[in-house]
Amino acid sequence: MSLISDNLQAVTADIHRTAIANGRDPQQLQLLAVSKTFPADAVIAAAAAGQRCFGENYLQEALEKMQEVSNKMPQLDLEWHFIGPLQSNKTRPVAEHFAWVHSVDREKIAQRLSEQRPKNLPDLNICLQVNISAEASKSGVLPGEALALAQKIAALPGLRLRGLMAVPEASHDEQQQRQAFRQLRQLSESIQAAGLPMDTLSMGMSGDMQAAIAEGSTMLRIGTAIFGNRNYAKQT
Ligand SMILES: *Cc1c(COP(=O)(O)O)cnc(C)c1O
């Protein structure tokens, strides 16, 4: 498990270096450790190395992991982010157990999260997932529909609109990576210009982190570079 702390240190150093190289303040970049498919002990190892924010994609797996982590380490104060596809009949546990949702892409989901967010908890932080490459197969609101959805979310109680998220088409070409991230940033700027303040650009994964930083990411969602390669065969 000590490998995880080495990896975290290397990723953090990489983020720092890339931010400086792009004239950005490293403090403006938050690291979300994506722990999907990895066990509670991997989360605990990362937390021991100072990581506080964790991203999960699969609801059932996430709920079990959270429970196990808090049983083993009740003193840990972790922040959980839901970043996976969300079905409307599964919103309640998300509203009850997470601090952030990055994958809101339709009004119905937002409405349910708003109604189901417990009143004793702080507002649920929301990022709109945008289908920036406009691929029919991918989740995410189309760029042209993002402003209208953002306006609806901003008006819902119990939710706090924080920004935009995207998972662009995988590419090894840095210019292509940057172009997708630039589109997301420009969309964010146009939504803000329309009067909706947002402070988060959730973009950049292990394979395109540098491009995302160069284009203004504020939250990197990093899995593989911290925890290693995922084994989906173990995933039920
Ligand atoms: C799995 C996943 C990540 C992490 O990807 P890596 O390439 O392992 O860093 C980030 N964001 C989302 C939405 C994911 O599903």
Side-chain angles (χ1 to χ4, degrees):
M1 284 298 173
S2 66
L3 193 60
I4 290 177
S5 70
D6 292 348
N7 290 347
L8 257 177
Q9 216 166 22
V11 168
T12 305
D14 197 0
I15 292 171
H16 199 274
R17 205 170 32 239
T18 308
I20 300 289
N22 285 280
R24 299 196 51 204
D25 176 2
Q27 306 272 35
Q28 307 275 304
L29 278 152
Q30 222 191 323
L31 174 59
L32 184 64
V34 176
S35 45
K36 65 177 177 219
T37 77
F38 290 96
D41 286 344
V43 169
I44 290 169
Q51 180 63 30
R52 180 164 178 265
C53 301
F54 291 86
E56 288 282 340
N57 289 58
Y58 311 107
L59 184 56
Q60 197 51 42
E61 178 199 338
L63 295 174
E64 286 167 18
K65 199 178 302 181
M66 287 170 172
Q67 188 62 56
E68 189 179 339
V69 169
S70 75
N71 288 347
K72 286 182 170 171
M73 291 277 159
Q75 74 281 18
L76 280 182
D77 176 30
L78 304 183
E79 187 179 273
W80 293 94
H81 295 226
F82 192 80
I83 63 173
L86 188 48
Q87 294 165 285
S88 62
N89 61 343
K90 301 248 177 83
T91 49
R92 185 177 295 279
V94 172
E96 291 176 349
H97 294 280
F98 287 82
W100 285 69
V101 182
H102 293 231
S103 45
V104 173
D105 63 0
R106 51 196 197 277
E107 189 184 356
K108 185 178 177 191
I109 297 281
Q111 227 149 21
R112 292 177 66 91
L113 291 171
S114 166
E115 285 159 15
Q116 294 167 344
R117 180 67 169 172
K119 300 285 174 279
N120 61 323
L121 293 182
D123 287 352
L124 183 59
N125 296 293
I126 303 289
C127 291
L128 281 193
Q129 183 172 355
V130 181
N131 186 349
I132 209 72
S133 325
E135 294 161 82
S137 61
K138 277 228 187 116
S139 38
V141 65
L142 291 173
E145 293 161 8
L147 174 60
L149 182 56
Q151 282 165 333
K152 284 178 177 138
I153 289 170
L156 288 171
L159 305 185
R160 182 165 166 219
L161 178 67
R162 295 298 296 268
L164 305 182
M165 179 273 231
V167 185
E169 201 177 1
S171 163
H172 292 292
D173 175 35
E174 185 163 1
Q175 286 314 312
Q176 215 167 316
Q177 294 174 352
R178 285 190 61 155
Q179 195 191 342
F181 292 138
R182 192 175 314 134
Q183 278 175 275
L184 192 70
R185 171 167 49 82
Q186 288 167 347
L187 182 61
S188 167
E189 287 164 359
S190 74
I191 291 172
Q192 293 181 72
L196 293 176
M198 301 193 294
D199 61 9
T200 301
L201 270 177
S202 168
M203 59 188 203
M205 305 174 24
S206 298
D208 55 17
M209 181 176 112
Q210 280 84 7
I213 295 172
E215 294 297 338
S217 170
T218 68
M219 205 181 288
L220 297 153
R221 307 181 312 271
I222 308 293
T224 309
I226 296 173
F227 297 106
N229 289 319
R230 285 180 290 275
N231 180 359
Y232 284 99
K234 286 194 297 189
Q235 183 61 36
T236 49

